[in-house]
């Protein structure tokens, strides 16, 4: 247990010194805010790590709720954290999409029945594609993501999930 505590403390120290945002993050958050969409951070990270990362990226006022894997009976790759986020936000999965950078996170979102944008920022495309993301992008500036979001804007009201399915990779 001491080893794990030390490891997490080291992570927080390193993250507080150098945690650059994924390219295009603030463009995406502005797009989301401009449309008044509800949002949740869903993570398996320990609470202190999640709070640090959210704060360091300047997102403490962006998320309506933070759901930790430890808040649920089962963490990712199970869908429970995403289903809890839907419940807390009181939103339908038909009007939701997820951004994930891990195989377990993509699996959780897919199992919850929502479209998942997979980010190849931490894991290779070959690993993430196995989890069946709806769309796989390099970062939040990727033209494929913005093509999908522009299409959503054109078809507002018809359901995000339905529109994202058009871009499915598999």
């Amino acid at each position: 247990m001491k080893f794990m505590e030390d490891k997490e403390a080291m992570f927080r120290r390193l993250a507080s010194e150098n945690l650059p945002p994924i390219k295009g993050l603030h463009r995406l958050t502005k797009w989301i805010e401009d449309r008044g969409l509800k949002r949740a951070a869903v993570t398996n990270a320990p609470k202190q790590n999640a709070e640090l990362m959210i704060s360091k990226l300047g997102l403490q006022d962006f998320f309506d709720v933070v759901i930790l894997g430890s808040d649920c009976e089962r963490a990712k790759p199970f869908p429970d954290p995403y289903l809890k986020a839907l419940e807390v936000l009181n939103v339908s999965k038909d009007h939701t999409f997820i951004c994930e950078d891990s195989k377990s996170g993509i699996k959780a979102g897919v199992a919850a029945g929502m479209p998942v944008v997979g980010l190849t920022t931490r894991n290779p495309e070959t690993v993430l594609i196995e989890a069946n993301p709806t769309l796989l992008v390099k970062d939040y500036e990727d033209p494929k993501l913005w093509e999908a979001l522009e299409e959503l804007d054109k078809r507002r009201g018809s359901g995000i999930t339905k529109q994202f399915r058009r871009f499915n990779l598999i």
Side-chain angles (χ1 to χ4, degrees):
M1 190 66 163
K2 172 85 169 104
F3 171 77
M4 291 302 287
E5 290 170 10
D6 290 346
K7 178 183 94 68
E8 296 304 334
M10 179 181 282
F11 168 83
R12 287 189 293 278
R13 185 174 44 76
L14 293 172
S16 67
E17 295 168 6
N18 184 27
L19 185 65
I22 294 172
K23 186 177 172 188
L25 174 66
H26 296 295
R27 179 181 177 196
L28 179 62
T29 58
K30 181 174 179 355
W31 185 91
I32 291 167
E33 285 177 326
D34 287 351
R35 284 146 188 83
L37 301 176
K38 294 180 182 179
R39 50 234 178 226
V42 178
T43 180
N44 279 352
K47 184 176 183 171
Q48 285 182 294
N49 293 14
E51 289 172 347
L52 171 70
M53 293 184 328
I54 289 167
S55 173
K56 186 74 176 158
L57 294 171
L59 298 174
Q60 57 273 38
D61 295 327
F62 177 73
F63 293 109
D64 299 310
V65 65
V66 176
I67 304 294
L68 304 175
S70 60
D71 293 338
C72 303
E73 189 173 316
R74 302 176 304 171
K76 299 176 197 177
F78 294 98
D80 304 27
Y82 281 115
L83 296 175
K84 182 172 181 142
L86 290 175
E87 181 182 326
V88 171
L89 291 173
N90 192 31
V91 295
S92 163
K93 66 181 173 183
D94 295 332
H95 298 281
T96 306
F97 70 95
I98 296 168
C99 295
E100 266 292 351
D101 65 356
S102 71
K103 185 175 178 179
S104 68
I106 293 170
K107 282 184 168 189
V110 169
M114 293 178 266
V116 181
V117 175
L119 292 152
T120 60
T121 51
R122 288 190 326 141
N123 291 287
E125 184 176 320
T126 54
V127 170
L128 298 181
I129 200 80
E130 294 172 5
N132 198 26
T134 308
L135 188 64
L136 202 55
V137 298
K138 178 178 72 158
D139 54 37
Y140 295 123
E141 286 291 330
D142 193 306
K144 291 183 289 187
L145 173 63
W146 289 96
E147 179 186 343
L149 296 177
E150 286 173 20
E151 190 68 27
L152 288 178
D153 277 341
K154 288 180 193 172
R155 300 173 187 264
R156 268 195 106 152
S158 62
I160 289 174
T161 298
K162 181 179 178 184
Q163 296 309 315
F164 257 109
R165 292 285 182 238
R166 292 184 57 243
F167 296 93
N168 202 307
L169 296 169
I170 308 301

